[in-house]
Amino acid sequence: MIKIEIPNPDIVITKSRQVGEKVEAPLSSIYGFTDYNKIPRDKGGIILFFNANDDLLFVGKARKLRPRVKRHFEDTVSPIKEHRDEVYKIAVLVVEEPMDREIYETFIINTLHAKYNIEKVFYK
């Protein structure tokens, strides 16, 4: 049997302000997040979206992390488009190998029971 452990997040950003409030940061405040610059631009990995109660909402993977995280809040086709206001914390795991990203994503979805991932669910 293969033993898989979920790695600790490399970066965690949390919602710092309410939507619509002025922010000091020159970066945009998309849904209350202003620390996108902490997320690596050209690295691949896993993205975990949590609510204020630390419940896992959605897990995704990306070849380029920062643009993908931003796209989840801007796209009209994002799986979390109806639930963007619920997101309170974003955790990022840097995983460069594509096959490892796929394995970790599926494992995390099924171990932590991500609420809005419906395509890779085996625990039903």
Side-chain angles (χ1 to χ4, degrees), residues 87-105:
V87 177
Y88 177 76
K89 179 172 78 174
I90 302 170
V92 176
L93 313 170
V94 176
V95 180
E96 285 293 332
E97 193 61 41
M99 184 59 72
D100 292 347
R101 283 196 298 261
E102 186 71 39
I103 292 168
Y104 278 132
E105 180 193 33

Side-chain angles (χ1 to χ4, degrees), residues 29-96:
S29 171
I30 303 171
Y31 287 90
F33 295 96
T34 57
D35 296 333
Y36 290 113
N37 58 329
K38 293 181 181 178
I39 300 172
R41 183 182 311 242
D42 294 329
K43 298 227 183 248
I46 306 292
I47 309 155
L48 301 118
F49 296 94
F50 294 92
N51 66 11
N53 299 327
D54 247 8
D55 298 326
L56 184 61
L57 299 176
F58 185 77
V59 179
K61 63 182 182 303
R63 286 182 299 150
K64 295 185 178 189
L65 286 165
R66 190 186 311 173
R68 186 65 189 124
V69 170
K70 283 186 169 183
R71 227 173 298 129
H72 272 297
F73 289 100
E74 297 167 350
D75 273 0
T76 57
V77 295
S78 172
I80 63 165
K81 69 180 176 196
E82 303 295 324
H83 314 286
R84 291 175 179 149
D85 293 329
E86 280 184 69
V87 177
Y88 177 76
K89 179 172 78 174
I90 302 170
V92 176
L93 313 170
V94 176
V95 180
E96 285 293 332

Side-chain angles (χ1 to χ4, degrees), residues 2-16:
I2 299 172
K3 176 104 170 120
I4 301 173
E5 290 185 18
I6 301 170
N8 289 327
D10 296 301
I11 297 111
V12 177
I13 61 173
T14 56
K15 187 179 282 192
S16 57

